[in-house]
Amino acid sequence: MQRMLGLMRKAIQEFGLIEDGDRIAVGVSGGKDSVVLLTGLARLRRFVGISYELEAVTLDPRFSGVETDYSAIEALCNELEVPYTLQRTDIGQIVFDVRKEPNPCSLCAKLRRGALHDAAKALGCNKIALGHHFDDAVETFIMNLFNEGRVGCFSPKSYLSRKELWMIRPMVFAPEKEVRRAAERAGLPIVKSRCPADGYTSRQKAKEFLAQKEQESEGFKLRIFGALRRSGVDGWGYTGLSGRSKKE
């Protein structure tokens, strides 16, 4: 977990993700990424030199109308001394049973974002932390390039003016393998996704493409990430470093 904390601290400092007095809603789906994010942010409070509060929020999509057991996540939050909010929703039924979306990920993500934004505001938070990591950033860059014909990615830090909330992603420097290793070594509880589309998404195709290219040419993903940073697009530019783009 120590390596993970170092990567998170680097992102927080480089992109100015967290400031004194922040109250941060952490989106916790129960998967490894969000659980490591929550644990990392809770532990960083001890030594990062920034005073902030955390609120863990889980939105249960209730796929097929079935509630998921998040008691292990609640127990982890108690251990970390982080208040926990669990909201049962109808998102799964709306997307798969009512709308019967052929490409469900976009609508599901939109509904989940809206519900998380509302939950964060209700809890008095000014920021929302999401568990996107290094591999997610590279995959999103590839998806935008190949699927939409544009250069872009989600931002490490972005402002939602309509909600007056900041969205931050403290794990963007952490490769997925490091996230997985941290979860395993710390013995963190994982709640498996019940999503019917799990493993059959556009992101999964991008993941498989990148895995193949990485096998053919080691460092392929790192070079893509470097290109994203040097481009300075969507807040990814290097800041205050000689010889590098200062765009943000």
Side-chain angles (χ1 to χ4, degrees):
M1 195 72 188
Q2 213 52 37
R3 163 87 173 147
M4 194 71 226
L5 294 179
L7 291 169
M8 291 176 66
R9 184 175 188 174
K10 178 184 177 184
I12 289 168
Q13 292 175 338
E14 183 158 342
F15 295 115
L17 302 184
I18 301 177
E19 300 170 308
D20 282 330
D22 280 343
R23 186 173 176 84
I24 305 169
V26 185
V28 185
S29 66
K32 69 180 189 314
D33 303 338
S34 63
V35 171
V36 169
L37 171 67
L38 172 65
T39 305
L41 287 175
R43 293 187 181 181
L44 278 171
R45 289 182 298 184
R46 304 172 189 168
F47 60 85
V48 76
I50 306 172
S51 176
Y52 60 91
E53 298 177 35
L54 299 175
E55 290 277 352
V57 180
T58 295
L59 303 173
D60 181 5
R62 295 200 314 129
F63 294 113
S64 301
V66 179
E67 294 185 353
T68 299
D69 179 8
Y70 292 101
S71 57
I73 303 301
E74 183 176 13
L76 174 65
C77 289
N78 289 335
E79 179 186 330
L80 297 172
E81 298 182 344
V82 175
Y84 181 59
T85 299
L86 170 60
Q87 289 190 4
R88 307 289 184 181
T89 76
D90 296 320
I91 292 174
Q93 291 171 287
I94 292 170
V95 173
F96 290 97
D97 303 329
V98 177
R99 295 281 294 270
K100 301 184 187 299
E101 289 285 322
N103 300 299
C105 296
S106 178
L107 177 60
C108 185
K110 182 179 180 180
L111 294 174
R112 284 188 290 109
R113 278 197 304 269
L116 183 57
H117 297 169
D118 290 343
K121 291 294 288 185
L123 290 167
C125 297
N126 65 313
K127 290 182 179 177
I128 296 175
L130 299 178
H132 295 113
H133 47 61
F134 168 93
D135 291 73
D136 287 326
V138 177
E139 289 159 16
T140 300
F141 181 85
I142 289 295
M143 289 163 64
N144 288 339
L145 184 63
F146 289 172
N147 297 350
E148 301 179 22
R150 67 181 180 90
V151 174
C153 185
F154 55 71
S155 300
K157 178 182 181 181
S158 54
Y159 187 62
L160 310 173
S161 56
R162 291 178 62 183
K163 292 289 186 177
E164 298 182 323
L165 287 167
W166 284 96
M167 189 80 72
I168 62 172
R169 296 173 168 90
M171 298 204 306
V172 288
F173 288 146
E176 185 172 18
K177 63 182 179 182
E178 291 290 346
V179 179
R180 183 179 297 108
R181 184 179 294 123
E184 291 172 352
R185 290 184 174 178
L188 299 179
I190 306 299
V191 178
K192 184 171 174 53
S193 172
R194 301 168 61 98
C195 174
D198 195 27
Y200 301 95
T201 62
S202 178
R203 182 169 296 279
Q204 181 62 31
K205 292 177 183 177
K207 189 183 293 288
E208 292 168 0
F209 167 79
L210 286 164
Q212 179 184 341
K213 298 302 292 183
E214 187 70 27
Q215 223 173 18
E216 296 170 359
S217 177
E218 187 177 354
F220 183 83
K221 288 190 286 188
L222 194 58
R223 292 192 292 275
I224 294 290
F225 189 75
L228 172 62
R229 295 225 61 192
R230 287 188 293 275
S231 74
V233 71
D234 294 332
W236 282 98
Y238 294 99
T239 57
L241 300 179
S242 176
R244 291 172 170 174
S245 168
K246 294 186 180 180
K247 291 182 181 178
E248 197 168 16

